[in-house]
Amino acid sequence: MIPEEKLTPAEEKVLAAFRTGDSKVSVKGEVRGDFLRHLFLGGYDEKADYRGTVIDGANIGDVLNMEFCETKFPVRFRKCCFAQEIELQQLTCPELGFGGCTLKKGIDALRAKVDGIVNLTKVNATDQVRLSGANVGGQLSCTGGSFQNKKGDALNAQGIKVVADVFLRDGFKAEGGVSLLGADIGGQLSCTGGSFQNKKGDALNAQGIKVVADVFLRDGFKAEGGVRLSGADIGGQLNCTGGVFRNEGEDALIAQNIKVTQDVFLHGGFNAEGAVSLGGAEIGGQFNCTGGSFQNEGKIALNARSIKATSEVLIRNFSANGWVYFSNATIEGNLELTDCKLTHLSLAGTSVSGEFEDDAEVYKNDQGNDIVLNIDGFCYQRLNAAKERVKDRLAWVGLMSKGDEFRPQPYEQLMKVYREMGHMNWARRVGFELEKKRHKQLRLNRDHKRFLLLGWAWWIWYWALRGTIGYGYKPFRALYWFIFLIAVGFTLLSGASFCPNPYRTESAPCHCMAPSDAEVLLSEDWKMHGKLPKDYPGFNPVYYAVEAALPVLPLGQTENWHPKTWWVRWVQGAITIIGALVLTILASYGVGVLGPRWKNE
């Protein structure tokens, strides 16, 4: 201990202020570290006011060593200059403050215990400030501070426990890493307006952090280097509104397996150059990326695989150059995807409990070409009522089945939703397009190439289903076939110009057809004049064509009349065969053997 008679004038002024209980003492000149140590430990006057005094403007030229000490006074400085190390490992004190101080050798407060606040507001530290394992009973404020350490972490607070808030905001600047790895914060973590620079590594490492309230990386927040929040547990919201995250080609913001009780905001001017990953995140509110920009060309721009969002996911006025993954996500609210500029998007395996809203322009890039899209396994309950356009929806699901890649699930899901929304015609149209894709796939299937006959048989059968009942989704097509067959039969059988001359007479201009009854056929009246007995049914080309096309409908024409020329026999046979095939397919549809796939649900 330095005797009082050997104290410098500056030290005498400080000691006097402590004894009289002044809240602050302003001094100019040297104050020694050994003097400060004994002063804070109560070595000069045990009866001094324990509220302590803030030392303002002093120069401390030697080491301040208070390792393993327990002070009686708060350790508080303001605008002081420390030329050497400040050793505070495992220090126990009521309060710790270096507001506005210059710390040329940083601070080492490993496992320090501070009952109140730790004030590092507007400090200028040119070496590492170490608070690893510290226990802070109030808040930790580094507001407006400048922390520099080109060799490693500028601010190391790994494993710190803070009862209240942590402020790295409003002009806070770090050149070197900031580590809050495993920190336990009882209030909020605010980095609003803070600047974090560490191009050689992580700018901010807060993996495994636990924050009772909100985390703010917003409104002027800027990071050059990775920001890591993986495994963080946040009791409020994660708000990155307007934040800038730059780590080009590398990880810009990594928050995998994060748990957020409220909302996650990557919106309002949020800008990331590098990968943003929230894979496996659990979000208790909404996930909002409105107005966000994600740039990582040729790589993952936004990874939201397997996230769980309790509320809606909003991706509006959104720009991403790189892959955007929402694969296997679980969204309990709505999913809105509108007014976006994308290059790659995956919603494979994603489940939306609410409504899915998008617009057609989302799936076109700046050149007007289709984006790369994966919606295989994408499930949703409803489509936005104002944007149910089936034409665009078919183009949308069609992006999944270009070339050899055919995925039926997107069609089946769209059919299901249209049916539940009461749009049966649209559902049938989607089903028809689905079967067209299946039909096309038969020609590409390798198994059918191995068994050529089987492949051709299936392909022809699909053509028959497509032409007759539209794969079961357009059964009225069968009616068109019957109308066509009847029209062909009537035209060929009723026109005399189609019959060879030897079979024409004035009374029977079309002798292409002859009575089936031998007695009538051999009668003189028929042979000479083409007359029939009064009780014999006359030939009617319409009825004959109908009966040929619909064998199950007996009209007495095919029984009493038969063709006399080969070409008529061929026409009748073709009409009968085609009609029977169409009728069989139609009957199978009627009893449920063929038809829409939902018939068996």
Side-chain angles (χ1 to χ4, degrees):
M1 183 177 78
I2 302 174
E4 289 190 33
E5 60 272 14
K6 294 185 178 181
L7 297 179
T8 66
E11 293 169 346
E12 289 178 350
K13 188 176 182 179
V14 171
L15 180 57
F18 265 74
R19 285 173 172 171
T20 58
D22 293 343
S23 61
K24 184 178 75 170
V25 57
S26 296
V27 297
K28 293 183 179 179
E30 288 286 333
V31 176
R32 288 168 289 184
D34 193 37
F35 163 75
L36 293 172
R37 172 188 172 91
H38 289 287
L39 175 68
F40 288 123
L41 293 177
Y44 286 102
D45 193 340
E46 294 184 358
K47 296 181 180 180
D49 190 339
Y50 287 167
R51 290 176 298 179
T53 300
V54 178
I55 302 173
D56 185 3
N59 292 320
I60 297 89
D62 57 353
V63 175
L64 173 59
N65 189 334
M66 300 178 65
E67 294 179 333
F68 306 100
C69 294
E70 183 174 353
T71 72
K72 297 181 180 295
F73 302 105
V75 180
R76 295 180 297 181
F77 299 89
R78 182 176 180 272
K79 295 184 178 180
C80 295
C81 179
F82 292 83
Q84 299 299 325
E85 293 85 356
I86 303 174
E87 303 290 351
L88 307 178
Q89 295 97 324
Q90 299 193 43
L91 167 70
T92 300
C93 66
E95 189 176 325
L96 186 64
F98 293 89
C101 294
T102 297
L103 313 175
K104 294 185 177 180
K105 296 294 184 179
I107 298 175
D108 189 352
L110 173 70
R111 298 177 184 172
K113 182 179 179 181
V114 182
D115 297 333
I117 69 171
V118 174
N119 181 11
L120 301 176
T121 301
K122 296 184 178 180
V123 302
N124 182 12
T126 55
D127 205 338
Q128 182 180 101
V129 173
R130 187 182 183 198
L131 298 170
S132 304
N135 195 322
V136 181
Q139 67 177 213
L140 167 62
S141 177
C142 300
T143 299
S146 175
F147 297 76
Q148 304 171 42
N149 185 20
K150 297 180 180 179
K151 297 179 181 180
D153 288 337
L155 175 60
N156 184 350
Q158 295 182 17
I160 193 172
K161 293 183 179 180
V162 182
V163 173
D165 308 310
V166 173
F167 295 133
L168 311 178
R169 65 183 186 182
D170 298 339
F172 172 91
K173 183 178 180 180
E175 296 182 12
V178 174
S179 179
L180 294 170
L181 181 69
D184 189 340
I185 301 174
Q188 67 176 225
L189 169 62
S190 178
C191 301
T192 299
S195 175
F196 298 73
Q197 300 179 33
N198 189 21
K199 296 181 179 180
K200 296 181 180 180
D202 294 329
L204 174 60
N205 184 354
Q207 296 184 82
I209 193 172
K210 182 177 180 180
V211 183
V212 173
D214 307 311
V215 173
F216 295 123
L217 310 177
R218 65 179 186 181
D219 298 338
F221 173 89
K222 183 178 180 181
E224 296 187 12
V227 174
R228 297 189 180 275
L229 294 169
S230 300
D233 189 342
I234 300 173
Q237 64 180 223
L238 170 61
N239 192 328
C240 301
T241 302
V244 176
F245 298 74
R246 292 177 179 168
N247 197 19
E248 189 172 350
E250 303 294 337
D251 296 333
L253 173 60
I254 304 301
Q256 294 180 342
N257 301 312
I258 194 172
K259 294 182 180 180
V260 182
T261 302
Q262 298 180 19
D263 308 311
V264 173
F265 295 120
L266 308 181
H267 73 344
F270 174 91
N271 185 290
E273 297 180 10
V276 174
S277 178
L278 289 93
E282 295 183 15
I283 303 171
Q286 70 172 216
F287 179 37
N288 193 334
C289 297
T290 299
S293 175
F294 300 74
Q295 307 296 319
N296 199 22
E297 185 175 1
K299 299 180 180 180
I300 296 175
L302 173 59
N303 176 13
R305 291 186 177 103
S306 302
I307 69 167
K308 296 180 180 179
T310 301
S311 187
E312 65 265 23
V313 173
L314 304 177
I315 310 173
R316 303 178 296 200
N317 191 25
F318 172 99
S319 175
N321 185 7
W323 269 100
V324 175
Y325 284 103
F326 278 87
S327 310
N328 301 311
T330 301
I331 302 171
E332 296 182 13
N334 300 333
L335 171 60
E336 183 175 342
L337 184 68
T338 56
D339 194 22
C340 298
K341 294 181 179 179
L342 305 172
T343 58
H344 304 74
L345 174 65
S346 176
L347 294 170
T350 297
S351 174
V352 179
S353 299
E355 182 177 271
F356 174 54
E357 178 180 352
D358 63 349
D359 55 56
E361 291 73 18
V362 169
Y363 308 106
K364 299 288 184 181
N365 59 24
D366 291 337
Q367 291 74 39
N369 300 319
D370 295 332
I371 69 169
V372 178
L373 177 68
N374 186 353
I375 54 172
D376 188 29
F378 178 39
C379 297
Y380 44 95
Q381 298 303 313
R382 291 184 63 83
L383 293 168
N384 181 266
K387 300 177 180 178
E388 296 162 344
R389 54 201 188 275
V390 65
K391 180 180 178 181
D392 291 337
R393 284 290 169 213
L394 287 173
W396 175 61
V397 296
L399 292 177
M400 275 299 301
S401 52
K402 288 187 173 182
D404 292 353
E405 293 294 327
F406 170 59
R407 310 287 177 85
Q409 189 276 338
Y411 291 91
E412 293 169 348
Q413 174 65 27
L414 184 57
M415 266 196 300
K416 176 179 179 291
V417 171
Y418 275 149
R419 285 168 47 213
E420 292 176 351
M421 294 179 68
H423 300 302
M424 295 304 297
N425 287 337
W426 289 352
R428 290 179 181 277
R429 183 172 174 183
V430 175
F432 179 74
E433 293 297 325
L434 167 61
E435 296 306 325
K436 280 176 64 176
K437 296 292 184 181
R438 292 186 193 276
H439 190 181
K440 182 179 180 181
Q441 191 69 10
L442 288 174
R443 294 184 299 170
L444 305 173
N445 192 299
R446 293 182 179 179
D447 291 337
H448 289 159
K449 288 182 178 179
R450 294 177 186 174
F451 305 100
L452 188 60
L453 184 60
L454 177 62
W456 274 106
W458 271 110
W459 193 67
I460 292 171
W461 173 243
Y462 260 78
W463 267 115
L465 293 180
R466 178 175 177 175
T468 54
I469 58 173
Y471 305 113
Y473 298 98
K474 297 183 178 182
F476 286 103
R477 281 192 171 188
L479 179 61
Y480 301 147
W481 272 100
F482 288 124
I483 293 174
F484 171 74
L485 293 175
I486 293 170
V488 169
F490 171 77
T491 302
L492 295 179
L493 297 175
S494 64
S497 60
F498 293 99
C499 296
N501 288 334
Y503 300 100
R504 299 180 193 166
T505 66
E506 292 184 3
S507 58
C510 184
H511 275 195
C512 297
M513 303 299 298
S516 299
D517 188 290
E519 184 177 344
V520 175
L521 182 64
L522 297 176
S523 68
E524 292 296 326
D525 287 340
W526 172 257
K527 288 193 296 182
M528 297 299 297
H529 307 289
K531 293 182 178 181
L532 297 171
K534 293 181 179 180
D535 58 346
Y536 198 85
F539 175 71
N540 188 310
V542 175
Y543 290 173
Y544 193 92
V546 170
E547 190 173 0
L550 294 167
V552 296
L553 189 62
L555 299 176
Q557 289 290 304
T558 57
E559 179 184 358
N560 293 295
W561 293 88
H562 68 273
K564 294 183 62 178
T565 60
W566 65 270
W567 66 270
V568 178
R569 285 193 293 272
W570 276 97
V571 169
Q572 178 192 1
I575 291 175
T576 300
I577 292 173
I578 296 173
L581 176 62
V582 174
L583 189 62
T584 301
I585 293 175
L586 187 61
S588 299
Y589 168 82
V591 298
V593 176
L594 300 174
R597 294 180 178 271
W598 65 69
K599 275 195 170 185
N600 297 322
E601 293 181 0

